[in-house]
Amino acid sequence: MKAKQIIKIAADISMTVILLLLTAYSLVGEAAHEWLGIAVFVLFVLHHILNVKWSKSIFKGKYTPFRILQTVLAVLALISMLGSMISGIVLSRYALAFLKISGGQSWARNIHMLSAYWGFCIISLHVGIHWNIMLNMAKRLVKKPSAAGNRILRVVGALIAGYGVYAFIKRDIGNYMLLKFHFVFFDFEEPLILFLLDYLAVMGLFVFVGHYLSVILKRIGKKDSPNTILKKEQQ
């Protein structure tokens, strides 16, 4: 594996772990939350630098259903990240306190909540549509995966997604995304690990949806490909 590929994987895994920690805002502490937010933004910028070829080709080539989804998610992820960072700067009381920004707390809090929760789901979907990369890496490690092993992995994935639906509802994530609540409620007696496991399951839910949505869209794209159309005309 090339060094650039290793850096990409390390950056993406680090960003995913930090995103999970960011959901535990009050449980990890406000100061830590701010520094983690800065870290995830830096990793997000690094992610785009390492994938600059994709960005340069955005206006080139044909747009298949999968590519449309991929591009839409990338743009939405960028918007949510910028929203989180700009509002986070206004709200900062520790890491960026030296900026001495006053006012704007109310709108910044709303933008931050919307950007954070929508961004969490959008980025999880983004991970899901590229999940085949992780699967291919796993296949290289296990040269001859058994059919039973593949079925077990699918069942585990479905179970995680199923619990993710429950955790999504239990944690009121939908209400936060719709801004029905203007503050996030935390149970400070709950162990941090249990909180993170619930959000990990929610992430798993969106990864699951993203992965199988990408499978469907890629199949649709193949049906509409020039080679497929040519074969149909020749029949």
Side-chain angles (χ1 to χ4, degrees):
M1 190 180 293
K2 295 180 180 179
K4 185 177 179 180
Q5 189 66 23
I6 294 172
I7 295 172
K8 277 185 180 182
I9 294 169
D12 290 347
I13 290 174
S14 299
M15 186 160 51
T16 303
V17 171
I18 295 174
L19 276 173
L20 277 173
L21 291 173
L22 284 171
T23 62
Y25 172 61
S26 291
L27 299 179
V28 299
E30 293 182 19
H33 179 84
E34 290 185 15
W35 285 110
L36 288 170
I38 293 171
V40 84
F41 185 77
V42 171
L43 288 169
F44 186 79
V45 172
L46 177 61
H47 173 84
H48 279 273
I49 292 172
L50 293 172
N51 292 278
V52 68
K53 286 185 178 179
W54 181 86
S55 300
K56 287 181 177 179
S57 65
I58 195 169
F59 296 111
K60 299 177 182 178
K62 179 185 175 182
Y63 267 79
T64 62
F66 172 76
R67 191 181 179 195
I68 291 170
L69 174 65
Q70 181 186 32
T71 305
V72 168
L73 288 178
V75 171
L76 291 176
L78 176 61
I79 291 171
S80 66
M81 190 61 67
L82 289 174
S84 292
M85 195 61 194
I86 292 169
S87 58
I89 291 171
V90 175
L91 294 169
S92 178
R93 296 194 299 173
Y94 299 96
L96 303 174
F98 62 89
L99 295 176
K100 297 181 180 179
I101 296 174
S102 60
Q105 301 289 315
S106 180
W107 69 261
R109 189 176 291 107
N110 289 339
I111 293 295
H112 200 70
M113 182 177 286
L114 286 172
S115 299
Y117 282 94
W118 278 99
F120 179 80
C121 297
I122 289 165
I123 291 172
S124 298
L125 279 172
H126 179 76
V127 172
I129 68 170
H130 295 292
W131 194 247
N132 62 309
I133 296 173
M134 300 299 293
L135 293 176
N136 290 334
M137 287 176 58
K139 286 177 182 178
R140 290 174 189 173
L141 296 174
V142 182
K143 294 183 179 179
K144 293 182 179 180
S146 65
N150 287 332
R151 290 194 197 97
I152 291 171
L153 287 175
R154 291 192 187 99
V155 170
V156 170
L159 290 173
I160 291 172
Y163 182 78
V165 173
Y166 167 76
F168 183 91
I169 297 169
K170 171 188 172 184
R171 298 291 176 179
D172 287 318
I173 294 174
N175 289 325
Y176 296 139
M177 292 173 73
L178 297 175
L179 213 59
K180 288 186 177 181
F181 299 146
H182 294 272
F183 294 92
V184 182
F185 300 97
F186 292 97
D187 179 1
F188 292 97
E189 294 182 0
E190 178 185 28
L192 177 61
I193 186 64
L194 294 181
F195 179 92
L196 293 177
L197 284 174
D198 271 5
Y199 271 84
L200 183 60
V202 173
M203 180 177 282
L205 165 64
F206 284 96
V207 169
F208 184 87
V209 171
H211 173 64
Y212 283 101
L213 184 57
S214 71
V215 170
I216 293 169
L217 292 179
K218 284 178 180 178
R219 286 178 181 173
I220 293 172
K222 284 182 180 179
K223 288 180 182 178
D224 295 334
S225 67
N227 290 336
T228 305
I229 295 170
L230 183 62
K231 287 179 182 178
K232 288 181 179 179
E233 290 177 348
Q234 290 175 344
Q235 289 176 352

